[in-house]
Amino acid sequence: MKAVEATTMARAGKVNWVLFNPKTYATILYLLLSLPLGIIYLTLAITGLALSIGLTPIFIGIPLFFGVAKLLNGIVNFEQGLIRHILGLPVPPVSVPNQLQPEVGQNWLKRMVKGFDGGQFIRNLMLVLLRFITGIVFFVVMVTAIALGLGFIALPVVHIILMNEMQLDILENNLFRYFHVDWTYSQQYLLYVGVGLVLFWIALRVVNGLMQIQRRIMYVDESYQPPSMPVEAQFHAPVQSDYDGYQGNQPAQEKMWLA
């Protein structure tokens, strides 16, 4: 059952019919904004950590450090929610932590230290750094792939405009001349547009593939996974179920022997 749910959740964010799916173009907008957002995230993280370390001797750096940890957690949650919204994934169930409410007279610094998770802080910091790197790489890959497809599609229009306005033939020395293929401009236009449409479709598939990579990097599917079972429960659960099944089948076996 859990395997079926995991497969269904993995397929929920897949994008089919990329050319006519609004998720594809929402993904393009997300990847276009990924470069400035990644720079902003990394700048806030580095600036906050540098100020918290520098201001530690005057005690201001300690609460500032915990504030930066909260900020990084908010950035990661915002990115995960944004990816879920673009891919149309459902809102994950809210997990209620099994913790006692803080006392009324408890110091605010103790509450901040108690709520701090070092492993989660390191993970969020690494995710922000990866968000900056993938923002640059994905932006370059997406723009190159889309520009290549649109360039072939727009080549006939550009050629006609240059021929009419500047008497410039950009298709004069092309591959058809080298291979001695005598094609008219109309036939070449159809070929370029066809190649451009194929390349543009491939570029959209690449864009959706980059979004799936970003989904895995940001641990979007982690919120849908059920909490892990304790070791003792994992050890005793199968033994108990097999024992119950054995007792349930025991009367039937006795009847077979009596018969």
Side-chain angles (χ1 to χ4, degrees):
M1 186 64 181
K2 292 181 180 179
V4 175
E5 292 178 355
T7 305
T8 305
M9 185 56 60
R11 292 178 179 176
K14 298 294 183 180
V15 180
N16 299 320
W17 295 98
V18 292
L19 194 59
F20 305 102
N21 199 318
K23 292 181 182 180
T24 301
Y25 302 98
T27 301
I28 292 175
L29 180 60
Y30 171 80
L31 294 179
L32 285 175
L33 295 176
S34 63
L35 181 59
L37 285 178
I39 296 174
I40 293 173
Y41 295 157
L42 187 65
T43 302
L44 291 176
I46 293 178
T47 304
L49 289 176
L51 287 176
S52 62
I53 294 173
L55 297 176
T56 299
I58 58 176
F59 188 73
I60 301 177
I62 297 177
L64 182 60
F65 173 78
F66 292 110
V68 172
K70 289 289 185 181
L71 177 63
L72 293 179
N73 191 28
I75 289 174
V76 172
N77 291 333
F78 171 74
E79 281 292 321
Q80 290 177 346
L82 192 59
I83 295 174
R84 290 191 199 101
H85 180 72
I86 292 174
L87 296 179
L89 296 173
V91 180
V94 180
S95 59
V96 180
N98 188 15
Q99 295 179 356
L100 297 176
Q101 295 293 332
E103 298 179 0
V104 179
Q106 192 174 10
N107 189 8
W108 60 270
L109 184 58
K110 292 182 179 179
R111 293 198 301 267
M112 294 180 67
V113 173
K114 187 177 180 180
F116 177 75
D117 188 355
Q120 187 178 8
F121 170 75
I122 297 298
R123 192 194 75 164
N124 292 338
L125 185 60
M126 292 296 102
L127 288 180
V128 170
L129 179 60
L130 284 175
R131 181 68 177 79
F132 171 74
I133 298 174
T134 57
I136 298 175
V137 176
F138 291 175
F139 179 85
V140 173
V141 172
M142 181 195 67
V143 171
T144 304
I146 293 179
L148 187 61
L150 293 179
F152 274 93
I153 295 174
L155 182 60
V157 178
V158 175
H159 180 258
I160 293 173
I161 293 174
L162 292 178
M163 284 287 293
N164 294 332
E165 299 296 333
M166 303 177 60
Q167 306 301 322
L168 179 62
D169 188 4
I170 60 176
L171 298 180
E172 182 178 2
N173 297 318
N174 51 26
L175 293 177
F176 297 99
R177 299 291 183 181
Y178 290 103
F179 291 101
H180 303 285
V181 179
D182 191 12
W183 277 18
T184 62
Y185 284 140
S186 299
Q187 292 173 334
Q188 294 182 32
Y189 292 163
L190 292 176
L191 177 63
Y192 290 138
V193 171
V195 172
L197 289 175
V198 173
L199 291 177
F200 184 70
W201 179 81
I202 295 174
L204 296 183
R205 299 293 298 182
V206 169
V207 167
N208 290 318
L210 294 177
M211 191 59 167
Q212 295 299 325
I213 296 175
Q214 189 71 20
R215 171 186 176 182
R216 288 171 173 80
I217 290 176
M218 297 303 295
Y219 293 100
V220 174
D221 296 334
E222 187 181 42
S223 302
Y224 301 103
Q225 297 176 359
S228 59
M229 187 181 298
V231 178
E232 296 181 356
Q234 293 179 0
F235 179 76
H236 292 292
V239 177
Q240 185 67 24
S241 61
D242 295 340
Y243 179 72
D244 293 339
Y246 172 75
Q247 283 189 341
N249 296 329
Q250 187 173 5
Q253 294 178 358
E254 291 179 354
K255 290 180 181 179
M256 293 176 59
W257 282 106
L258 290 176

Short mmCIF file of all heavy atoms in Angstrom, two decimals, residues 124-167:
data_model
loop_
_atom_site.label_atom_id
_atom_site.label_comp_id
_atom_site.label_asym_id
_atom_site.label_seq_id
_atom_site.Cartn_x
_atom_site.Cartn_y
_atom_site.Cartn_z
N ASN A 124 19.67 22.91 5.82
CA ASN A 124 19.08 24.09 5.20
C ASN A 124 20.15 24.98 4.59
O ASN A 124 19.95 25.56 3.50
CB ASN A 124 18.26 24.87 6.23
CG ASN A 124 17.02 24.14 6.67
OD1 ASN A 124 16.53 23.26 5.97
ND2 ASN A 124 16.50 24.48 7.83
N LEU A 125 21.29 25.10 5.26
CA LEU A 125 22.38 25.91 4.72
C LEU A 125 22.92 25.30 3.43
O LEU A 125 23.19 26.02 2.45
CB LEU A 125 23.50 26.04 5.76
CG LEU A 125 24.67 26.95 5.41
CD1 LEU A 125 24.18 28.37 5.18
CD2 LEU A 125 25.73 26.92 6.50
N MET A 126 23.05 23.97 3.39
CA MET A 126 23.51 23.32 2.18
C MET A 126 22.48 23.43 1.06
O MET A 126 22.84 23.59 -0.12
CB MET A 126 23.79 21.83 2.46
CG MET A 126 24.99 21.57 3.37
SD MET A 126 26.58 22.12 2.67
CE MET A 126 26.83 23.67 3.56
N LEU A 127 21.20 23.37 1.41
CA LEU A 127 20.15 23.51 0.39
C LEU A 127 20.14 24.92 -0.21
O LEU A 127 19.91 25.09 -1.41
CB LEU A 127 18.78 23.19 1.00
CG LEU A 127 18.51 21.73 1.32
CD1 LEU A 127 17.12 21.55 1.91
CD2 LEU A 127 18.66 20.86 0.08
N VAL A 128 20.38 25.92 0.62
CA VAL A 128 20.46 27.29 0.10
C VAL A 128 21.65 27.44 -0.84
O VAL A 128 21.56 28.09 -1.90
CB VAL A 128 20.54 28.29 1.26
CG1 VAL A 128 20.85 29.69 0.75
CG2 VAL A 128 19.21 28.32 2.02
N LEU A 129 22.78 26.82 -0.48
CA LEU A 129 23.95 26.86 -1.35
C LEU A 129 23.68 26.12 -2.66
O LEU A 129 24.03 26.61 -3.76
CB LEU A 129 25.15 26.26 -0.63
CG LEU A 129 26.47 26.21 -1.41
CD1 LEU A 129 26.92 27.61 -1.81
CD2 LEU A 129 27.56 25.52 -0.59
N LEU A 130 23.04 24.95 -2.57
CA LEU A 130 22.69 24.22 -3.79
C LEU A 130 21.66 24.97 -4.62
O LEU A 130 21.68 24.91 -5.85
CB LEU A 130 22.14 22.83 -3.42
CG LEU A 130 23.16 21.78 -2.99
CD1 LEU A 130 22.45 20.51 -2.55
CD2 LEU A 130 24.13 21.47 -4.12
N ARG A 131 20.77 25.68 -3.94
CA ARG A 131 19.78 26.48 -4.66
C ARG A 131 20.45 27.57 -5.48
O ARG A 131 20.01 27.89 -6.60
CB ARG A 131 18.82 27.11 -3.63
CG ARG A 131 17.71 27.96 -4.24
CD ARG A 131 16.74 27.07 -5.01
NE ARG A 131 15.66 27.87 -5.53
CZ ARG A 131 15.72 28.65 -6.61
NH1 ARG A 131 16.85 28.72 -7.29
NH2 ARG A 131 14.68 29.35 -7.02
N PHE A 132 21.52 28.14 -4.97
CA PHE A 132 22.28 29.15 -5.71
C PHE A 132 22.98 28.53 -6.92
O PHE A 132 22.95 29.08 -8.03
CB PHE A 132 23.29 29.81 -4.78
CG PHE A 132 24.27 30.71 -5.47
CD1 PHE A 132 23.87 31.96 -5.94
CD2 PHE A 132 25.59 30.32 -5.65
CE1 PHE A 132 24.77 32.79 -6.59
CE2 PHE A 132 26.49 31.15 -6.28
CZ PHE A 132 26.08 32.38 -6.76
N ILE A 133 23.60 27.36 -6.72
CA ILE A 133 24.34 26.71 -7.82
C ILE A 133 23.37 26.24 -8.91
O ILE A 133 23.59 26.48 -10.10
CB ILE A 133 25.17 25.55 -7.27
CG1 ILE A 133 26.22 26.06 -6.28
CG2 ILE A 133 25.84 24.77 -8.40
CD1 ILE A 133 27.00 24.98 -5.57
N THR A 134 22.30 25.55 -8.49
CA THR A 134 21.34 25.07 -9.49
C THR A 134 20.61 26.23 -10.17
O THR A 134 20.20 26.10 -11.33
CB THR A 134 20.32 24.15 -8.82
OG1 THR A 134 19.66 24.84 -7.74
CG2 THR A 134 20.98 22.89 -8.30
N GLY A 135 20.44 27.34 -9.46
CA GLY A 135 19.81 28.49 -10.09
C GLY A 135 20.61 29.00 -11.27
O GLY A 135 20.04 29.35 -12.32
N ILE A 136 21.94 29.01 -11.14
CA ILE A 136 22.79 29.46 -12.25
C ILE A 136 22.81 28.42 -13.37
O ILE A 136 22.62 28.74 -14.55
CB ILE A 136 24.21 29.73 -11.74
CG1 ILE A 136 24.21 30.86 -10.70
CG2 ILE A 136 25.14 30.08 -12.89
CD1 ILE A 136 25.55 31.13 -10.06
N VAL A 137 23.04 27.16 -12.99
CA VAL A 137 23.18 26.10 -14.01
C VAL A 137 21.87 25.90 -14.76
O VAL A 137 21.84 25.85 -16.00
CB VAL A 137 23.64 24.79 -13.34
CG1 VAL A 137 23.68 23.66 -14.36
CG2 VAL A 137 25.01 24.97 -12.71
N PHE A 138 20.76 25.79 -14.02
CA PHE A 138 19.47 25.55 -14.67
C PHE A 138 19.05 26.73 -15.54
O PHE A 138 18.43 26.56 -16.59
CB PHE A 138 18.40 25.27 -13.62
CG PHE A 138 18.58 23.95 -12.91
CD1 PHE A 138 17.75 23.59 -11.85
CD2 PHE A 138 19.57 23.06 -13.30
CE1 PHE A 138 17.92 22.39 -11.20
CE2 PHE A 138 19.75 21.85 -12.64
CZ PHE A 138 18.91 21.52 -11.60
N PHE A 139 19.37 27.95 -15.11
CA PHE A 139 19.04 29.12 -15.90
C PHE A 139 19.77 29.10 -17.24
O PHE A 139 19.18 29.34 -18.30
CB PHE A 139 19.41 30.39 -15.12
CG PHE A 139 19.12 31.68 -15.85
CD1 PHE A 139 17.86 32.24 -15.80
CD2 PHE A 139 20.12 32.30 -16.58
CE1 PHE A 139 17.59 33.42 -16.48
CE2 PHE A 139 19.86 33.49 -17.26
CZ PHE A 139 18.59 34.05 -17.21
N VAL A 140 21.06 28.78 -17.21
CA VAL A 140 21.86 28.74 -18.44
C VAL A 140 21.37 27.63 -19.36
O VAL A 140 21.20 27.82 -20.58
CB VAL A 140 23.35 28.57 -18.11
CG1 VAL A 140 24.17 28.36 -19.38
CG2 VAL A 140 23.87 29.78 -17.35
N VAL A 141 21.12 26.44 -18.80
CA VAL A 141 20.67 25.30 -19.62
C VAL A 141 19.32 25.59 -20.24
O VAL A 141 19.08 25.34 -21.44
CB VAL A 141 20.63 24.03 -18.77
CG1 VAL A 141 19.98 22.88 -19.54
CG2 VAL A 141 22.04 23.62 -18.33
N MET A 142 18.38 26.14 -19.45
CA MET A 142 17.04 26.41 -19.96
C MET A 142 17.07 27.47 -21.05
O MET A 142 16.45 27.30 -22.11
CB MET A 142 16.13 26.86 -18.82
CG MET A 142 14.70 27.13 -19.27
SD MET A 142 13.76 28.05 -18.05
CE MET A 142 14.60 29.63 -18.10
N VAL A 143 17.76 28.58 -20.82
CA VAL A 143 17.81 29.65 -21.82
C VAL A 143 18.47 29.17 -23.11
O VAL A 143 18.01 29.49 -24.22
CB VAL A 143 18.54 30.87 -21.23
CG1 VAL A 143 18.81 31.91 -22.31
CG2 VAL A 143 17.73 31.49 -20.11
N THR A 144 19.54 28.38 -22.99
CA THR A 144 20.21 27.87 -24.19
C THR A 144 19.31 26.94 -24.99
O THR A 144 19.22 27.05 -26.22
CB THR A 144 21.50 27.15 -23.79
OG1 THR A 144 22.34 28.03 -23.04
CG2 THR A 144 22.25 26.66 -25.02
N ALA A 145 18.63 26.02 -24.29
CA ALA A 145 17.78 25.05 -24.99
C ALA A 145 16.59 25.73 -25.66
O ALA A 145 16.27 25.45 -26.82
CB ALA A 145 17.30 23.99 -24.00
N ILE A 146 15.94 26.65 -24.95
CA ILE A 146 14.77 27.33 -25.53
C ILE A 146 15.19 28.26 -26.65
O ILE A 146 14.51 28.35 -27.70
CB ILE A 146 14.00 28.09 -24.44
CG1 ILE A 146 13.39 27.08 -23.45
CG2 ILE A 146 12.91 28.95 -25.03
CD1 ILE A 146 12.64 27.73 -22.32
N ALA A 147 16.30 28.98 -26.48
CA ALA A 147 16.75 29.90 -27.52
C ALA A 147 17.14 29.15 -28.79
O ALA A 147 16.93 29.66 -29.91
CB ALA A 147 17.94 30.71 -27.01
N LEU A 148 17.68 27.95 -28.66
CA LEU A 148 18.06 27.18 -29.83
C LEU A 148 16.82 26.78 -30.64
O LEU A 148 16.79 26.91 -31.87
CB LEU A 148 18.84 25.93 -29.40
CG LEU A 148 19.45 25.08 -30.53
CD1 LEU A 148 20.46 25.90 -31.32
CD2 LEU A 148 20.11 23.83 -29.94
N GLY A 149 15.78 26.31 -29.95
CA GLY A 149 14.55 25.94 -30.66
C GLY A 149 13.85 27.13 -31.28
O GLY A 149 13.44 27.10 -32.45
N LEU A 150 13.70 28.22 -30.52
CA LEU A 150 13.05 29.41 -31.05
C LEU A 150 13.86 30.06 -32.16
O LEU A 150 13.30 30.68 -33.07
CB LEU A 150 12.81 30.42 -29.92
CG LEU A 150 11.81 30.00 -28.84
CD1 LEU A 150 11.69 31.09 -27.78
CD2 LEU A 150 10.44 29.71 -29.45
N GLY A 151 15.19 29.91 -32.11
CA GLY A 151 16.03 30.47 -33.17
C GLY A 151 15.77 29.81 -34.52
O GLY A 151 15.67 30.50 -35.55
N PHE A 152 15.64 28.48 -34.52
CA PHE A 152 15.33 27.79 -35.77
C PHE A 152 13.93 28.13 -36.26
O PHE A 152 13.70 28.25 -37.47
CB PHE A 152 15.48 26.28 -35.60
CG PHE A 152 16.87 25.78 -35.80
CD1 PHE A 152 17.73 25.64 -34.72
CD2 PHE A 152 17.33 25.45 -37.07
CE1 PHE A 152 19.02 25.18 -34.91
CE2 PHE A 152 18.62 24.99 -37.25
CZ PHE A 152 19.48 24.86 -36.17
N ILE A 153 12.98 28.28 -35.34
CA ILE A 153 11.62 28.61 -35.75
C ILE A 153 11.54 30.01 -36.35
O ILE A 153 10.85 30.25 -37.36
CB ILE A 153 10.66 28.49 -34.54
CG1 ILE A 153 10.58 27.04 -34.07
CG2 ILE A 153 9.27 29.00 -34.88
CD1 ILE A 153 9.79 26.85 -32.80
N ALA A 154 12.28 30.95 -35.77
CA ALA A 154 12.23 32.34 -36.24
C ALA A 154 13.20 32.61 -37.39
O ALA A 154 13.20 33.73 -37.92
CB ALA A 154 12.55 33.28 -35.08
N LEU A 155 14.01 31.62 -37.79
CA LEU A 155 14.99 31.85 -38.85
C LEU A 155 14.36 32.28 -40.18
O LEU A 155 14.87 33.21 -40.82
CB LEU A 155 15.85 30.59 -39.03
CG LEU A 155 16.97 30.69 -40.08
CD1 LEU A 155 17.95 31.79 -39.72
CD2 LEU A 155 17.69 29.35 -40.20
N PRO A 156 13.28 31.67 -40.65
CA PRO A 156 12.68 32.15 -41.91
C PRO A 156 12.22 33.60 -41.84
O PRO A 156 12.42 34.36 -42.80
CB PRO A 156 11.51 31.19 -42.12
CG PRO A 156 11.87 29.96 -41.38
CD PRO A 156 12.62 30.44 -40.18
N VAL A 157 11.62 34.00 -40.72
CA VAL A 157 11.15 35.38 -40.60
C VAL A 157 12.33 36.34 -40.61
O VAL A 157 12.29 37.39 -41.27
CB VAL A 157 10.32 35.54 -39.31
CG1 VAL A 157 9.85 36.98 -39.15
CG2 VAL A 157 9.12 34.60 -39.33
N VAL A 158 13.39 35.99 -39.90
CA VAL A 158 14.58 36.85 -39.87
C VAL A 158 15.21 36.94 -41.26
O VAL A 158 15.64 38.03 -41.70
CB VAL A 158 15.59 36.30 -38.85
CG1 VAL A 158 16.88 37.10 -38.90
CG2 VAL A 158 15.00 36.34 -37.45
N HIS A 159 15.24 35.83 -41.98
CA HIS A 159 15.82 35.84 -43.32
C HIS A 159 15.02 36.72 -44.26
O HIS A 159 15.60 37.50 -45.06
CB HIS A 159 15.90 34.41 -43.86
CG HIS A 159 16.48 34.32 -45.23
ND1 HIS A 159 15.69 34.16 -46.36
CD2 HIS A 159 17.76 34.38 -45.67
CE1 HIS A 159 16.46 34.11 -47.42
NE2 HIS A 159 17.73 34.24 -47.04
N ILE A 160 13.71 36.65 -44.20
CA ILE A 160 12.87 37.48 -45.07
C ILE A 160 13.05 38.96 -44.75
O ILE A 160 13.16 39.80 -45.66
CB ILE A 160 11.40 37.04 -44.94
CG1 ILE A 160 11.21 35.64 -45.50
CG2 ILE A 160 10.49 38.03 -45.66
CD1 ILE A 160 9.83 35.06 -45.27
N ILE A 161 13.10 39.30 -43.47
CA ILE A 161 13.26 40.70 -43.08
C ILE A 161 14.61 41.24 -43.54
O ILE A 161 14.71 42.36 -44.08
CB ILE A 161 13.09 40.85 -41.56
CG1 ILE A 161 11.65 40.54 -41.15
CG2 ILE A 161 13.46 42.26 -41.11
CD1 ILE A 161 11.43 40.53 -39.65
N LEU A 162 15.68 40.46 -43.36
CA LEU A 162 17.01 40.92 -43.77
C LEU A 162 17.11 41.04 -45.29
O LEU A 162 17.79 41.94 -45.82
CB LEU A 162 18.07 39.97 -43.24
CG LEU A 162 18.27 39.96 -41.71
CD1 LEU A 162 19.32 38.93 -41.32
CD2 LEU A 162 18.68 41.35 -41.22
N MET A 163 16.45 40.14 -46.00
CA MET A 163 16.48 40.21 -47.46
C MET A 163 15.75 41.44 -47.98
O MET A 163 16.19 42.10 -48.93
CB MET A 163 15.86 38.94 -48.05
CG MET A 163 16.77 37.72 -47.98
SD MET A 163 18.16 37.79 -49.14
CE MET A 163 17.29 37.66 -50.70
N ASN A 164 14.62 41.78 -47.36
CA ASN A 164 13.84 42.91 -47.84
C ASN A 164 14.40 44.25 -47.39
O ASN A 164 14.32 45.25 -48.13
CB ASN A 164 12.38 42.77 -47.37
CG ASN A 164 11.69 41.57 -48.00
OD1 ASN A 164 12.05 41.15 -49.11
ND2 ASN A 164 10.71 41.02 -47.30
N GLU A 165 14.95 44.31 -46.19
CA GLU A 165 15.39 45.58 -45.62
C GLU A 165 16.86 45.88 -45.91
O GLU A 165 17.21 47.02 -46.21
CB GLU A 165 15.15 45.59 -44.11
CG GLU A 165 13.69 45.44 -43.71
CD GLU A 165 12.83 46.59 -44.18
OE1 GLU A 165 13.36 47.71 -44.34
OE2 GLU A 165 11.62 46.38 -44.39
N MET A 166 17.73 44.88 -45.83
CA MET A 166 19.17 45.13 -45.94
C MET A 166 19.82 44.38 -47.10
O MET A 166 21.04 44.47 -47.28
CB MET A 166 19.86 44.72 -44.62
CG MET A 166 19.33 45.43 -43.39
SD MET A 166 20.12 44.85 -41.86
CE MET A 166 21.83 45.23 -42.19
N GLN A 167 19.04 43.64 -47.87
CA GLN A 167 19.57 42.87 -48.99
C GLN A 167 20.68 41.92 -48.52
O GLN A 167 21.70 41.73 -49.19
CB GLN A 167 20.10 43.79 -50.09
CG GLN A 167 19.11 44.82 -50.59
CD GLN A 167 17.85 44.20 -51.15
OE1 GLN A 167 17.90 43.16 -51.81
NE2 GLN A 167 16.71 44.82 -50.90
#
